[in-house]
């Protein structure tokens, strides 16, 4: 089976135009010594420390042992990852599960999730000590920098409902993600949309060395999953064994990453030389309890269908998707997800 390599530089609209998947032959070898199945993979967003597990799986030979030659490219957010995977520009990708449900409730893309990276959502609003945001009740009337369509922005109405504030009273200011920490440090916005693991990067960008104020969505919405593993629906249906092998290899890299954050950061730096080892290590240390929260005894990456339905119901209640527009079967291939 041969797959096209990712073309992440293409915008999502171009990715969808006239693209078809190449699934005509499967020459992958199990020991990785001969022909390997060429697979393209997108991170959820850029190449921050939180994405190290894919590079760990590549460096340690987990992908190769499973029969894959994997090209890793930086993603640019959940919605773009979904569109690129749907259009055949990538075979697998990572995206926030709740944002995926919202997107698929509005646009029927041929994608599905096959496992969870995070059992809790990483989404958050981040501010700095001494500023105007200390609690969720401070958010109305404030300016929040974030990329349009980001997980934090898309999910904010759900979070606002959970904390009892009107979502429309908080203004989201369109801002390029790389500049968000500096934008916050300069005081041009009151807060930024950020994953909780991004706190080390935010604090490093502040010349005044202020501590971050973090308002995690997961504290008020504990049922929300974080990032999920995404592939095309035709891949899941026609090549389930391949999907399971790929997911297993990726999750093996994830397990090693949370077991040894510093080692994973060092591997990431080998592939991404501008990686800040300290920041990447701290990100991965912060990520561990979201991969395996306290009290979670299931298999790494598992998906609970009852929980998926609960998330959909919450999104309907928050008017983020319309009732009946999406079902668990529309967003996840339960049979392909890891099981305990």
């Amino acid at each position: 089976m041969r797959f096209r390599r990712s073309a992440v530089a293409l915008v999502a609209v171009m990715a969808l135009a006239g693209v078809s998947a190449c699934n005509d032959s499967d020459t992958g070898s199990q020991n990785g010594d001969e022909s390997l199945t060429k697979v393209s993979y997108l991170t959820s967003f850029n190449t921050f420390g939180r994405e190290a597990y894919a590079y760990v799986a590549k460096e340690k030979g987990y992908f190769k042992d499973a029969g894959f030659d994997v090209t890793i490219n930086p993603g640019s957010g959940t919605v773009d990852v979904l569109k690129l995977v749907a259009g055949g520009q990538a075979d697998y990708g990572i995206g926030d599960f709740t944002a995926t449900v919202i997107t698929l409730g509005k646009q029927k893309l041929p994608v599905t999730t096959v496992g969870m990276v995070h059992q809790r959502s990483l989404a958050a609003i981040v501010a700095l000590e001494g500023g105007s945001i200390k609690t969720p009740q401070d958010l109305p009337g404030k300016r929040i920098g974030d990329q349009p369509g980001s997980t934090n922005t898309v999910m904010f109405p759900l979070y606002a409902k959970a904390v009892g504030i009107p979502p429309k009273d908080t203004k989201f200011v369109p801002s390029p993600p790389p500049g968000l920490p500096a934008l916050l440090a300069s005081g041009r916005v009151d807060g930024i949309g950020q994953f909780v693991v991004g706190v080390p990067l935010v604090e490093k960008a502040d010349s005044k060395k202020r501590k971050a104020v973090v308002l995690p969505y997961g504290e008020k919405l504990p049922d929300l999953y974080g990032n999920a593993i995404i592939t095309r629906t035709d891949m899941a249906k026609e090549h389930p064994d391949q999907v399971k092998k790929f997911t297993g290899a990726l999750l093996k890299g994830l397990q090693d990453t949370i077991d040894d954050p510093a080692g994973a950061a060092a591997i990431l730096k080998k592939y991404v030389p501008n990686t800040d080892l300290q920041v990447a290590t701290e990100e991965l240390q912060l990520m561990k309890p979201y991969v395996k929260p306290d009290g979670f005894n299931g298999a790494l990456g598992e998906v609970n269908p009852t929980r998926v339905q609960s998330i959909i119901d919450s999104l309907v209640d928050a008017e983020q998707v319309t009732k009946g527009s999406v079902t668990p079967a529309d967003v996840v291939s339960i049979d392909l997800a890891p099981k305990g």
Side-chain angles (χ1 to χ4, degrees):
M1 187 183 307
R2 297 185 304 162
F3 301 103
R4 298 179 181 179
R5 293 183 180 274
S6 298
V8 178
L10 295 176
V11 295
V13 173
M14 292 177 65
L16 287 169
V19 180
S20 61
C22 299
N23 297 329
D24 51 353
S25 64
D26 187 347
T27 57
S29 92
Q30 289 303 303
N31 58 20
D33 294 331
E34 299 176 0
S35 297
L36 298 172
T37 301
K38 294 186 181 299
V39 169
S40 55
Y41 168 92
L42 292 174
T43 67
S44 65
F45 186 80
N46 215 316
T47 50
F48 296 117
R50 69 202 71 160
E51 308 289 352
Y53 53 92
Y55 296 90
V56 171
K58 184 178 180 73
E59 174 68 13
K60 292 192 174 184
Y62 299 150
F63 286 140
K64 188 176 182 181
D65 291 345
F68 301 110
D69 175 10
V70 179
T71 299
I72 303 172
N73 284 306
S76 53
T78 298
V79 176
D80 281 349
V81 168
L82 289 171
K83 290 181 177 180
L84 288 167
V85 171
Q89 295 298 326
D91 302 302
Y92 296 91
I94 301 295
D96 180 82
F97 184 71
T98 304
T100 296
V101 175
I102 293 172
T103 302
L104 296 184
K106 298 175 180 177
Q107 185 177 3
K108 298 301 182 184
L109 298 172
V111 295
T112 184
T113 57
V114 293
M116 294 298 166
V117 175
H118 307 122
Q119 292 293 323
R120 287 182 61 193
S121 173
L122 295 173
I125 299 297
V126 176
L128 289 169
E129 283 186 348
S132 58
I133 297 175
K134 299 177 181 63
T135 72
Q137 282 63 43
D138 296 326
L139 290 170
K142 302 303 188 299
R143 290 164 53 87
I144 307 299
D146 203 3
Q147 175 176 295
S150 80
T151 294
N152 308 286
T153 299
V154 170
M155 290 171 55
F156 183 74
L158 190 62
Y159 176 69
K161 181 177 177 64
V163 298
I165 60 173
K168 293 183 180 179
D169 288 356
T170 301
K171 180 177 177 59
F172 278 78
V173 180
S175 311
L180 288 174
L183 190 69
L184 176 61
S186 70
R188 285 177 285 170
V189 293
D190 303 295
I192 58 175
Q194 187 68 257
F195 276 1
V196 293
V197 295
V199 166
L201 192 63
V202 170
E203 293 181 343
K204 184 174 182 179
D206 182 42
S207 61
K208 298 178 182 178
K209 304 303 178 185
R210 290 170 290 182
K211 292 293 184 182
V213 175
V214 186
L215 305 179
Y217 291 9
E219 280 190 0
K220 301 298 181 180
L221 300 162
D223 282 346
L224 296 186
Y225 286 114
N227 280 347
I229 304 167
I230 297 162
T231 191
R232 293 188 301 277
T233 51
D234 68 310
M235 183 88 74
K237 291 177 181 177
E238 297 171 17
H239 307 285
D241 289 343
Q242 188 226 55
V243 172
K244 287 182 178 180
K245 289 175 185 176
F246 179 87
T247 300
L250 183 65
L251 292 174
K252 197 171 181 180
L254 178 63
Q255 182 66 63
D256 285 4
T257 295
I258 62 175
D259 287 343
D260 182 12
I267 289 174
L268 177 63
K269 188 171 181 65
K270 176 180 176 180
Y271 290 87
V272 186
N274 65 350
T275 296
D276 183 312
L277 283 175
Q278 180 180 348
V279 169
T281 300
E282 290 177 1
E283 278 200 10
L284 293 170
Q285 290 169 337
L286 289 170
M287 189 175 81
K288 182 175 181 177
Y290 290 82
V291 174
K292 286 188 172 181
D294 288 342
F296 175 74
N297 298 312
L300 191 71
E302 78 169 23
V303 185
N304 184 323
T306 301
R307 188 171 166 188
V308 172
Q309 183 62 63
S310 176
I311 292 170
I312 293 173
D313 292 342
S314 295
L315 291 171
V316 170
D317 189 47
E319 299 181 344
Q320 292 303 291
V321 298
T322 57
K323 188 173 183 178
S325 64
V326 63
T327 69
D330 294 327
V331 295
V332 61
S333 297
I334 294 292
D335 291 343
L336 300 185
K339 296 175 178 60

